[in-house]
Amino acid sequence: MSDPALAAAASQIQDAKQGTIPRPTVRTFFDEATFTASHVVHDPATGDAAIIDSVLEYDAASGRTGHRSAQRIVDYVRAEGLHVQWQLETHAHADHLSAAPWLQQQLGGRLGIGAEIVRVQDVFGKIFNAGTEFARDGSQFDHLFRDGDHFAIGRIPTIALHVPGHTPADMAFVIGDAAFIGDTLFMPDYGTARADFPGGDARQLYRSIRRLLSLPDETRLFLCHDYKAPGRDHFAWETTIGAERQGNIHVHDGVAEDSFTAMRAARDATLSLPNLIMPSVQVNMRGGRLPAPESNGTRYIKIPIDTL
């Protein structure tokens, strides 16, 4: 395999299958209001853990935030006696606010995201006219991951893979035999992520997906969202590489890049923007932190008019 990072991830998955490295334990918390799956993954031997793609409630009508979803994670982590090493974001989400800073206060852990977040910050910093006080260097995060970076959750080796297309900064985290792939893929019966946000690219998304689908068939995939495909009456967020290769309605084996790109462009043209894109990106580009209070002590979310 000519892709060193992918080869290392594939070897790690095989090691987990053979029992030479631990398989992570995963507990998922689904927030139905935003259709988001947040994952707590830990080493069963050491109790070291990572929290991936957490949710802070935000009511657009009132501007109020809440910690119901995040509190469920706190309760679980404390009940299991876990030690949080990482708060990981697969990308700067456009459909929910991150609860990572609040979870850091409660549980600790370093906040990490892909290094290309700086591109997202540059684009959306201009859209929101964030001013020179808004740093566009990723410094709001504790660590910026690059493709092929190795780290560990307890004794479980972990590899970061850059999988752009949905946004420029998307990352997948392969933890033992489990891959947390954000918004690149959905369940096989639902398809793939959109690629029409600023910095998105359908061809790049196709190549990122095919890269992921080169991992071993038995790789466990944990997704960031589910919307219940037609005919399915339950939410789902776990599948496998093999199931995606065989049955993903948009990008199963045999679907060519040109065909996928045309499909994605046509489908994206019919989609409205996510309901929470304005507050979500504005907060998530700051590492999940709300904008600074103004002179009256109140924080404000900006809504650019006739821009997106």
Tab-separated table of all heavy atoms in Angstrom, residues 32-72:
chain	number	residue	atom	x	y	z
A	32	GLU	N	-31.147	13.603	19.490
A	32	GLU	CA	-32.127	13.551	18.394
A	32	GLU	C	-32.430	14.933	17.828
A	32	GLU	O	-32.752	15.063	16.643
A	32	GLU	CB	-33.408	12.874	18.873
A	32	GLU	CG	-34.369	12.541	17.752
A	32	GLU	CD	-35.482	11.605	18.173
A	32	GLU	OE1	-35.357	10.947	19.231
A	32	GLU	OE2	-36.481	11.530	17.437
A	33	ALA	N	-32.329	15.977	18.624
A	33	ALA	CA	-32.628	17.324	18.135
A	33	ALA	C	-31.703	17.731	16.991
A	33	ALA	O	-32.116	18.451	16.070
A	33	ALA	CB	-32.526	18.329	19.277
A	34	THR	N	-30.445	17.282	17.034
A	34	THR	CA	-29.485	17.611	15.975
A	34	THR	C	-29.059	16.374	15.182
A	34	THR	O	-28.200	16.473	14.310
A	34	THR	CB	-28.231	18.276	16.559
A	34	THR	OG1	-27.590	17.373	17.476
A	34	THR	CG2	-28.579	19.564	17.288
A	35	PHE	N	-29.642	15.229	15.517
A	35	PHE	CA	-29.334	13.963	14.837
A	35	PHE	C	-27.844	13.623	14.929
A	35	PHE	O	-27.265	13.040	14.021
A	35	PHE	CB	-29.774	14.016	13.362
A	35	PHE	CG	-31.216	14.379	13.185
A	35	PHE	CD1	-31.584	15.667	12.803
A	35	PHE	CD2	-32.216	13.448	13.417
A	35	PHE	CE1	-32.917	16.014	12.655
A	35	PHE	CE2	-33.561	13.780	13.275
A	35	PHE	CZ	-33.910	15.061	12.887
A	36	THR	N	-27.243	13.970	16.061
A	36	THR	CA	-25.801	13.806	16.244
A	36	THR	C	-25.476	12.666	17.195
A	36	THR	O	-26.047	12.568	18.284
A	36	THR	CB	-25.184	15.107	16.812
A	36	THR	OG1	-25.495	16.187	15.941
A	36	THR	CG2	-23.670	14.975	16.958
A	37	ALA	N	-24.520	11.832	16.781
A	37	ALA	CA	-24.000	10.762	17.630
A	37	ALA	C	-22.658	11.196	18.203
A	37	ALA	O	-21.701	11.443	17.461
A	37	ALA	CB	-23.835	9.475	16.824
A	38	SER	N	-22.602	11.338	19.527
A	38	SER	CA	-21.351	11.629	20.233
A	38	SER	C	-20.845	10.326	20.833
A	38	SER	O	-21.633	9.536	21.359
A	38	SER	CB	-21.582	12.651	21.346
A	38	SER	OG	-22.136	13.843	20.841
A	39	HIS	N	-19.553	10.108	20.770
A	39	HIS	CA	-18.990	8.825	21.189
A	39	HIS	C	-17.996	9.007	22.337
A	39	HIS	O	-17.180	9.932	22.314
A	39	HIS	CB	-18.275	8.144	20.021
A	39	HIS	CG	-19.102	8.055	18.774
A	39	HIS	ND1	-20.172	7.196	18.653
A	39	HIS	CD2	-19.020	8.736	17.601
A	39	HIS	CE1	-20.696	7.322	17.444
A	39	HIS	NE2	-20.033	8.256	16.793
A	40	VAL	N	-18.086	8.119	23.316
A	40	VAL	CA	-17.048	7.995	24.337
A	40	VAL	C	-16.350	6.668	24.079
A	40	VAL	O	-16.971	5.605	24.107
A	40	VAL	CB	-17.633	8.015	25.761
A	40	VAL	CG1	-16.517	7.879	26.794
A	40	VAL	CG2	-18.425	9.301	25.997
A	41	VAL	N	-15.062	6.731	23.792
A	41	VAL	CA	-14.298	5.531	23.473
A	41	VAL	C	-13.194	5.396	24.516
A	41	VAL	O	-12.530	6.380	24.850
A	41	VAL	CB	-13.721	5.610	22.034
A	41	VAL	CG1	-12.962	6.895	21.808
A	41	VAL	CG2	-12.828	4.420	21.723
A	42	HIS	N	-13.035	4.170	25.047
A	42	HIS	CA	-12.006	4.029	26.081
A	42	HIS	C	-11.297	2.685	26.005
A	42	HIS	O	-11.806	1.722	25.423
A	42	HIS	CB	-12.588	4.267	27.471
A	42	HIS	CG	-13.396	3.140	28.030
A	42	HIS	ND1	-14.762	3.014	27.852
A	42	HIS	CD2	-13.036	2.065	28.808
A	42	HIS	CE1	-15.207	1.942	28.480
A	42	HIS	NE2	-14.178	1.344	29.070
A	43	ASP	N	-10.116	2.671	26.577
A	43	ASP	CA	-9.314	1.455	26.736
A	43	ASP	C	-9.870	0.711	27.948
A	43	ASP	O	-9.822	1.236	29.067
A	43	ASP	CB	-7.851	1.845	26.959
A	43	ASP	CG	-6.931	0.642	27.167
A	43	ASP	OD1	-7.429	-0.474	27.431
A	43	ASP	OD2	-5.700	0.832	27.077
A	44	PRO	N	-10.411	-0.501	27.755
A	44	PRO	CA	-11.025	-1.197	28.889
A	44	PRO	C	-10.020	-1.587	29.974
A	44	PRO	O	-10.418	-1.815	31.116
A	44	PRO	CB	-11.658	-2.437	28.246
A	44	PRO	CG	-10.937	-2.618	26.952
A	44	PRO	CD	-10.548	-1.255	26.490
A	45	ALA	N	-8.732	-1.646	29.620
A	45	ALA	CA	-7.725	-2.029	30.612
A	45	ALA	C	-7.317	-0.859	31.502
A	45	ALA	O	-7.097	-1.028	32.702
A	45	ALA	CB	-6.496	-2.603	29.908
A	46	THR	N	-7.222	0.346	30.920
A	46	THR	CA	-6.713	1.490	31.683
A	46	THR	C	-7.791	2.495	32.065
A	46	THR	O	-7.578	3.311	32.975
A	46	THR	CB	-5.643	2.236	30.869
A	46	THR	OG1	-6.266	2.840	29.716
A	46	THR	CG2	-4.529	1.287	30.414
A	47	GLY	N	-8.920	2.476	31.362
A	47	GLY	CA	-9.960	3.463	31.610
A	47	GLY	C	-9.698	4.806	30.966
A	47	GLY	O	-10.479	5.738	31.135
A	48	ASP	N	-8.596	4.927	30.206
A	48	ASP	CA	-8.317	6.177	29.493
A	48	ASP	C	-9.298	6.317	28.340
A	48	ASP	O	-9.608	5.337	27.649
A	48	ASP	CB	-6.884	6.198	28.989
A	48	ASP	CG	-5.882	6.262	30.123
A	48	ASP	OD1	-6.099	7.039	31.073
A	48	ASP	OD2	-4.873	5.520	30.079
A	49	ALA	N	-9.765	7.554	28.097
A	49	ALA	CA	-10.884	7.747	27.180
A	49	ALA	C	-10.736	8.994	26.326
A	49	ALA	O	-9.977	9.919	26.643
A	49	ALA	CB	-12.192	7.827	27.974
A	50	ALA	N	-11.504	9.006	25.233
A	50	ALA	CA	-11.681	10.191	24.395
A	50	ALA	C	-13.170	10.414	24.192
A	50	ALA	O	-13.944	9.455	24.085
A	50	ALA	CB	-10.976	10.024	23.056
A	51	ILE	N	-13.564	11.666	24.139
A	51	ILE	CA	-14.933	12.056	23.810
A	51	ILE	C	-14.898	12.676	22.421
A	51	ILE	O	-14.100	13.578	22.155
A	51	ILE	CB	-15.491	13.050	24.836
A	51	ILE	CG1	-15.534	12.411	26.232
A	51	ILE	CG2	-16.872	13.542	24.419
A	51	ILE	CD1	-15.831	13.395	27.353
A	52	ILE	N	-15.760	12.196	21.534
A	52	ILE	CA	-15.702	12.603	20.130
A	52	ILE	C	-17.026	13.240	19.721
A	52	ILE	O	-18.092	12.640	19.863
A	52	ILE	CB	-15.392	11.386	19.227
A	52	ILE	CG1	-14.067	10.730	19.658
A	52	ILE	CG2	-15.335	11.807	17.757
A	52	ILE	CD1	-13.744	9.451	18.923
A	53	ASP	N	-16.957	14.467	19.214
A	53	ASP	CA	-18.095	15.185	18.627
A	53	ASP	C	-19.246	15.371	19.619
A	53	ASP	O	-20.378	14.918	19.406
A	53	ASP	CB	-18.582	14.482	17.348
A	53	ASP	CG	-17.576	14.569	16.216
A	53	ASP	OD1	-16.777	15.511	16.212
A	53	ASP	OD2	-17.594	13.681	15.333
A	54	SER	N	-18.962	16.083	20.690
A	54	SER	CA	-19.978	16.344	21.716
A	54	SER	C	-20.943	17.441	21.268
A	54	SER	O	-20.671	18.193	20.325
A	54	SER	CB	-19.304	16.740	23.027
A	54	SER	OG	-18.512	17.909	22.838
A	55	VAL	N	-22.076	17.549	21.973
A	55	VAL	CA	-23.154	18.471	21.599
A	55	VAL	C	-23.503	19.402	22.764
A	55	VAL	O	-23.732	18.948	23.885
A	55	VAL	CB	-24.424	17.694	21.183
A	55	VAL	CG1	-25.599	18.650	20.950
A	55	VAL	CG2	-24.163	16.864	19.930
A	56	LEU	N	-23.548	20.689	22.476
A	56	LEU	CA	-24.101	21.700	23.376
A	56	LEU	C	-25.460	22.114	22.813
A	56	LEU	O	-25.561	22.513	21.645
A	56	LEU	CB	-23.183	22.924	23.439
A	56	LEU	CG	-23.650	24.102	24.302
A	56	LEU	CD1	-23.470	23.783	25.782
A	56	LEU	CD2	-22.891	25.372	23.941
A	57	GLU	N	-26.524	21.982	23.618
A	57	GLU	CA	-27.842	22.381	23.125
A	57	GLU	C	-27.882	23.896	22.875
A	57	GLU	O	-27.286	24.671	23.621
A	57	GLU	CB	-28.947	22.031	24.131
A	57	GLU	CG	-29.326	20.571	24.141
A	57	GLU	CD	-28.444	19.780	25.076
A	57	GLU	OE1	-27.968	20.342	26.073
A	57	GLU	OE2	-28.244	18.588	24.805
A	58	TYR	N	-28.598	24.257	21.812
A	58	TYR	CA	-28.792	25.677	21.516
A	58	TYR	C	-30.195	25.863	20.949
A	58	TYR	O	-30.557	25.239	19.939
A	58	TYR	CB	-27.761	26.183	20.508
A	58	TYR	CG	-27.940	27.637	20.139
A	58	TYR	CD1	-27.488	28.641	20.987
A	58	TYR	CD2	-28.583	28.007	18.958
A	58	TYR	CE1	-27.661	29.983	20.667
A	58	TYR	CE2	-28.762	29.348	18.631
A	58	TYR	CZ	-28.298	30.328	19.484
A	58	TYR	OH	-28.475	31.654	19.169
A	59	ASP	N	-30.996	26.681	21.607
A	59	ASP	CA	-32.341	26.991	21.138
A	59	ASP	C	-32.281	28.284	20.335
A	59	ASP	O	-32.013	29.360	20.891
A	59	ASP	CB	-33.298	27.136	22.316
A	59	ASP	CG	-34.705	27.441	21.850
A	59	ASP	OD1	-35.377	26.515	21.352
A	59	ASP	OD2	-35.124	28.620	21.964
A	60	ALA	N	-32.506	28.161	19.019
A	60	ALA	CA	-32.335	29.319	18.143
A	60	ALA	C	-33.338	30.422	18.445
A	60	ALA	O	-33.047	31.609	18.251
A	60	ALA	CB	-32.449	28.879	16.685
A	61	ALA	N	-34.529	30.063	18.912
A	61	ALA	CA	-35.552	31.073	19.171
A	61	ALA	C	-35.204	31.935	20.380
A	61	ALA	O	-35.389	33.161	20.359
A	61	ALA	CB	-36.907	30.396	19.386
A	62	SER	N	-34.683	31.312	21.423
A	62	SER	CA	-34.394	32.048	22.659
A	62	SER	C	-32.924	32.424	22.819
A	62	SER	O	-32.587	33.286	23.629
A	62	SER	CB	-34.808	31.200	23.873
A	62	SER	OG	-33.984	30.045	23.980
A	63	GLY	N	-32.050	31.765	22.052
A	63	GLY	CA	-30.614	31.994	22.216
A	63	GLY	C	-30.040	31.349	23.458
A	63	GLY	O	-28.923	31.680	23.881
A	64	ARG	N	-30.763	30.391	24.032
A	64	ARG	CA	-30.296	29.751	25.261
A	64	ARG	C	-29.549	28.455	24.952
A	64	ARG	O	-29.913	27.712	24.045
A	64	ARG	CB	-31.464	29.468	26.208
A	64	ARG	CG	-32.080	30.728	26.780
A	64	ARG	CD	-32.997	30.438	27.951
A	64	ARG	NE	-33.456	31.680	28.567
A	64	ARG	CZ	-32.778	32.379	29.478
A	64	ARG	NH1	-31.609	31.937	29.892
A	64	ARG	NH2	-33.270	33.492	29.988
A	65	THR	N	-28.518	28.208	25.746
A	65	THR	CA	-27.739	26.978	25.623
A	65	THR	C	-28.088	26.032	26.768
A	65	THR	O	-28.675	26.443	27.777
A	65	THR	CB	-26.233	27.270	25.647
A	65	THR	OG1	-25.900	27.904	26.897
A	65	THR	CG2	-25.826	28.170	24.493
A	66	GLY	N	-27.722	24.769	26.606
A	66	GLY	CA	-27.982	23.780	27.645
A	66	GLY	C	-26.985	22.647	27.589
A	66	GLY	O	-26.288	22.460	26.584
A	67	HIS	N	-26.913	21.882	28.667
A	67	HIS	CA	-25.893	20.832	28.804
A	67	HIS	C	-26.490	19.450	29.022
A	67	HIS	O	-25.827	18.565	29.552
A	67	HIS	CB	-24.951	21.176	29.959
A	67	HIS	CG	-24.272	22.502	29.808
A	67	HIS	ND1	-24.652	23.601	30.535
A	67	HIS	CD2	-23.261	22.895	28.997
A	67	HIS	CE1	-23.889	24.631	30.193
A	67	HIS	NE2	-23.036	24.237	29.262
A	68	ARG	N	-27.739	19.252	28.601
A	68	ARG	CA	-28.380	17.956	28.839
A	68	ARG	C	-27.593	16.816	28.194
A	68	ARG	O	-27.285	15.822	28.847
A	68	ARG	CB	-29.810	17.974	28.298
A	68	ARG	CG	-30.549	16.635	28.410
A	68	ARG	CD	-31.892	16.686	27.704
A	68	ARG	NE	-31.758	17.146	26.341
A	68	ARG	CZ	-31.381	16.345	25.324
A	68	ARG	NH1	-31.107	15.076	25.548
A	68	ARG	NH2	-31.290	16.833	24.094
A	69	SER	N	-27.262	16.948	26.918
A	69	SER	CA	-26.527	15.879	26.229
A	69	SER	C	-25.143	15.683	26.841
A	69	SER	O	-24.702	14.557	27.072
A	69	SER	CB	-26.405	16.198	24.740
A	69	SER	OG	-27.654	16.124	24.099
A	70	ALA	N	-24.458	16.791	27.086
A	70	ALA	CA	-23.108	16.701	27.645
A	70	ALA	C	-23.137	16.130	29.063
A	70	ALA	O	-22.214	15.400	29.459
A	70	ALA	CB	-22.445	18.070	27.631
A	71	GLN	N	-24.176	16.444	29.833
A	71	GLN	CA	-24.263	15.921	31.197
A	71	GLN	C	-24.399	14.404	31.188
A	71	GLN	O	-23.871	13.727	32.085
A	71	GLN	CB	-25.431	16.554	31.933
A	71	GLN	CG	-25.499	16.177	33.414
A	71	GLN	CD	-24.292	16.649	34.193
A	71	GLN	OE1	-23.964	17.850	34.171
A	71	GLN	NE2	-23.608	15.734	34.898
A	72	ARG	N	-25.097	13.841	30.198
A	72	ARG	CA	-25.194	12.384	30.085
A	72	ARG	C	-23.805	11.770	29.921
A	72	ARG	O	-23.511	10.710	30.488
A	72	ARG	CB	-26.081	12.004	28.903
A	72	ARG	CG	-27.548	12.357	29.076
A	72	ARG	CD	-28.294	12.284	27.758
A	72	ARG	NE	-28.262	10.941	27.191
A	72	ARG	CZ	-28.375	10.670	25.898
A	72	ARG	NH1	-28.501	11.641	25.010
A	72	ARG	NH2	-28.360	9.427	25.477
